[in-house]
C-alpha cells in the first residue's frame, strides 16, 4: 500500500510528497508487532542504482507473497525533486539532503522533511540505505560502517551479499547523515555503495536484492528460499586501502577492468594528451590487491581520484 511519509506545499499549488510502499503478509491484521525491514534510496538525486533494487525486490516479493512473514517498507525516492532534476542535492536550496538529518519538525521545509523521514523509518529492525557512487567513479557492491556501530552492523552486513565491508574510523563520521542519525537511536542502518552515478548496473542490483532477501530470512521476514550469499572481504585498517590520484590533467584510458586483482606495479591505465598524442603518465598499482574503485569519467585533473585498491592480504573470502 502506497503511503505518504511526509509532504510540504510548494509554489503554484504544488505539493512535494515523499512516499513509501508498505508490503505486508496476505491477510495480515494488526502488524504492530511484526519485524520490519526498510529499503531506502534516492537521498541523492543523481544516484539511481537503488531505484532498480526497489523495483526488483517488490517484483520478486509479489511472485511469492505467501512467503512474506513481516513488513517490507520501500522508499524509492527520498529526494524526489533531486531525482526529477537529475541533481545530487535538493534543487533551489543547494543542499545535500544527507547533511540535514535528523531534521527538525519545527524547522524550515528541508528540516521538516528530514524529521518526518526519520520518524517514519525509526524502529525498523534493519534499514538498507542504498547509494551509488558519483558520475566519476564506479564502485563494487560494498557496505560502509562507522566503527562506533561496528558490533551491531557487521553481522547484518555479512548477510547482505556485498563484496566488501569497509569499517571507517569514528573521525570520518558525518553526524547529520541519515544513517548516523538512525544508528545513534538504535535503528540499524547499512549504507550500501555500488555502481556509478546517473546509471544502473543491473548485475549489482540483482546481487543486492539477493542479499536483502537473505537479510529478510535472517530477520524472520521471509520464509522462502534464498540464494547463497557471498562472504565479504572486511577492512578495518586505514592502511588496507591505497588511493590513486592523477599526477597530470588529461584523458584517462584504463587497461584493466573494475574489480581486477592486481600485482604491485601492474599497469592500471594511462593519462594521455589528446592534443599532442602523448602519454602524460602511467597509472600503476602501488600494491597488490583488488581495484574496488575505478575512474569511470575519463577526463581528469591533477589530483583527481582514479581508483582505490584493497591490499592483497584483505582480498581473501573466508
Amino acid at each position: 500500500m502506497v503511503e505518504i511519509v511526509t509532504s510540504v506545499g510548494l509554489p503554484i499549488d504544488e505539493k512535494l510528497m515523499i512516499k513509501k510502499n508498505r508490503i505486508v503478509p496476505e491477510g495480515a491484521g494488526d502488524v504492530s508487532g511484526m519485524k520490519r525491514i526498510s529499503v531506502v534510496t534516492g537521498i541523492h538525486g543523481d544516484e539511481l542504482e537503488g531505484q532498480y533494487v526497489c523495483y526488483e525486490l517488490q517484483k520478486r516479493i509479489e511472485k511469492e507473497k505467501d512467503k512474506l512473514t513481516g513488513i517490507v517498507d520501500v522508499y524509492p525516492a527520498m529526494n524526489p525533486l533531486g531525482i526529477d532534476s537529475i541533481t545530487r542535492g535538493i534543487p533551489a536550496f543547494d543542499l545535500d539532503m544527507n547533511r540535514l538529518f535528523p531534521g527538525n519538525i519545527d524547522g524550515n521545509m528541508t528540516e521538516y522533511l528530514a524529521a518526518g523521514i526519520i520518524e517514519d523509518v525509526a524502529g525498523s529492525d534493519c534499514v538498507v540505505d542504498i547509494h551509488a557512487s558519483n558520475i566519476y567513479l564506479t564502485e563494487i557492491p560494498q557496505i560502509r560502517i562507522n566503527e562506533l556501530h561496528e558490533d551491531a552492523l557487521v553481522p547484518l552486513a555479512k548477510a547482505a551479499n556485498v563484496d566488501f565491508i569497509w569499517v571507517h574510523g569514528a573521525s570520518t563520521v558525518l553526524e547529520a547523515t541519515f544513517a548516523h542519525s538512525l544508528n545513534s537511536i538504535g535503528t540499524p542502518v547499512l549504507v550500501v555503495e555500488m555502481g556509478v552515478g546517473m546509471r544502473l548496473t543491473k548485475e549489482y542490483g540483482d546481487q543486492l536484492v539477493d542479499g536483502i532477501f537473505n537479510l529478510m530470512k535472517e530477520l524472520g521476514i521471509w520464509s522462502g528460499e534464498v540464494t547463497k550469499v557471498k562472504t565479504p572481504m572486511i577492512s578495518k585498517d586505514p592502511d588496507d586501502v591505497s588511493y590513486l590520484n592523477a599526477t597530470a590533467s588529461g584523458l584517462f584510458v584504463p587497461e584493466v577492468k573494475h574489480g581486477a586483482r592486481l600485482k604491485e606495479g601492474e599497469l592500471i591505465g594511462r593519462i594521455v594528451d589528446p592534443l599532442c598524442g602523448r602519454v602524460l603518465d602511467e597509472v600503476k598499482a602501488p600494491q597488490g590487491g583488488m581495484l574496488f574503485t575505478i575512474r569511470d569519467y575519463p577526463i581528469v585533473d591533477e589530483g583527481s581520484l582514479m581508483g582505490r585498491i584493497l591490499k592483497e592480504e584483505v582480498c581473501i573470502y573466508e
Side-chain angles (χ1 to χ4, degrees):
M1 179 175 64
V2 175
E3 302 175 8
I4 297 173
V5 174
T6 184
S7 66
V8 293
L10 294 174
I12 321 175
D13 295 326
E14 294 182 316
K15 182 172 280 192
L16 169 60
M17 294 181 288
I18 296 174
K19 300 178 181 179
K20 72 176 181 183
N21 190 18
R22 167 161 286 191
I23 310 170
V24 299
E26 297 281 6
D30 182 10
V31 298
S32 57
M34 283 188 177
K35 293 282 188 175
R36 172 166 60 120
I37 189 169
S38 294
V39 179
V40 172
T41 191
I43 288 177
H44 292 135
D46 60 352
E47 297 177 0
L48 305 176
E49 300 281 8
Q51 297 272 305
Y52 172 76
V53 173
C54 291
Y55 157 75
E56 182 66 18
L57 175 66
Q58 293 179 88
K59 184 188 77 172
R60 293 192 201 178
I61 289 173
E62 287 302 322
K63 284 184 178 179
E64 296 185 276
K65 189 75 174 291
D66 59 311
K67 304 294 195 305
L68 187 65
T69 55
I71 302 167
V72 180
D73 280 341
V74 180
Y75 303 76
M78 285 299 202
N79 178 10
L81 291 179
I83 291 173
D84 288 348
S85 59
I86 325 175
T87 55
R88 179 176 178 82
I90 301 175
F93 293 90
D94 194 28
L95 291 172
D96 184 338
M97 190 176 194
N98 212 24
R99 302 295 182 269
L100 297 173
F101 295 101
N104 182 352
I105 204 70
D106 296 316
N108 62 31
M109 184 190 102
T110 56
E111 293 171 328
Y112 173 83
L113 290 172
I117 290 168
I118 291 292
E119 181 180 4
D120 198 79
V121 180
S124 300
D125 293 279
C126 182
V127 181
V128 183
D129 177 21
I130 306 170
H131 293 261
S133 187
N134 53 37
I135 64 170
Y136 303 104
L137 302 167
T138 300
E139 303 276 3
I140 63 171
Q142 60 196 263
I143 289 175
R144 299 181 182 178
I145 292 173
N146 164 11
E147 66 178 11
L148 295 173
H149 308 294
E150 176 185 345
D151 292 343
L153 297 182
V154 168
L156 290 171
K158 286 181 176 180
N161 202 34
V162 295
D163 296 287
F164 177 35
I165 298 172
W166 193 358
V167 180
H168 280 272
S171 62
T172 66
V173 173
L174 293 169
E175 294 187 357
T177 64
F178 172 76
H180 186 265
S181 296
L182 284 171
N183 279 318
S184 296
I185 60 172
T187 297
V189 182
L190 300 176
V191 178
V192 178
E193 296 273 353
M194 66 181 190
V196 63
M198 294 190 184
R199 274 157 282 176
L200 298 179
T201 313
K202 185 177 181 296
E203 63 185 278
Y204 291 168
D206 290 335
Q207 177 181 334
L208 183 59
V209 172
D210 288 341
I212 292 172
F213 272 103
N214 191 58
L215 270 171
M216 290 165 58
K217 182 92 169 183
E218 292 203 357
L219 292 168
I221 296 172
W222 184 255
S223 64
E225 296 297 318
V226 296
T227 302
K228 180 177 173 57
V229 299
K230 296 183 176 185
T231 301
M233 301 169 288
I234 302 176
S235 169
K236 301 180 183 181
D237 186 342
D239 293 334
D240 288 345
V241 176
S242 293
Y243 295 79
L244 308 174
N245 296 96
T247 59
S249 300
L251 184 74
F252 174 60
V253 182
E255 294 292 333
V256 296
K257 292 185 178 180
H258 185 221
R261 302 297 267 276
L262 304 170
K263 297 178 181 178
E264 184 177 346
E266 186 172 346
L267 181 66
I268 295 171
R270 295 179 175 88
I271 301 174
V272 303
D273 179 359
L275 178 62
C276 300
R278 295 184 297 120
V279 175
L280 302 175
D281 188 34
E282 290 190 336
V283 182
K284 296 182 179 181
Q287 64 178 11
M290 174 187 277
L291 185 68
F292 72 92
T293 305
I294 192 170
R295 184 82 178 186
D296 195 85
Y297 188 77
I299 302 298
V300 298
D301 294 318
E302 184 177 351
S304 295
L305 183 62
M306 316 273 303
R308 301 185 186 96
I309 297 175
L310 182 66
K311 73 178 181 181
E312 187 62 42
E313 290 84 346
V314 184
C315 298
I316 300 171
Y317 294 91
E318 297 174 2

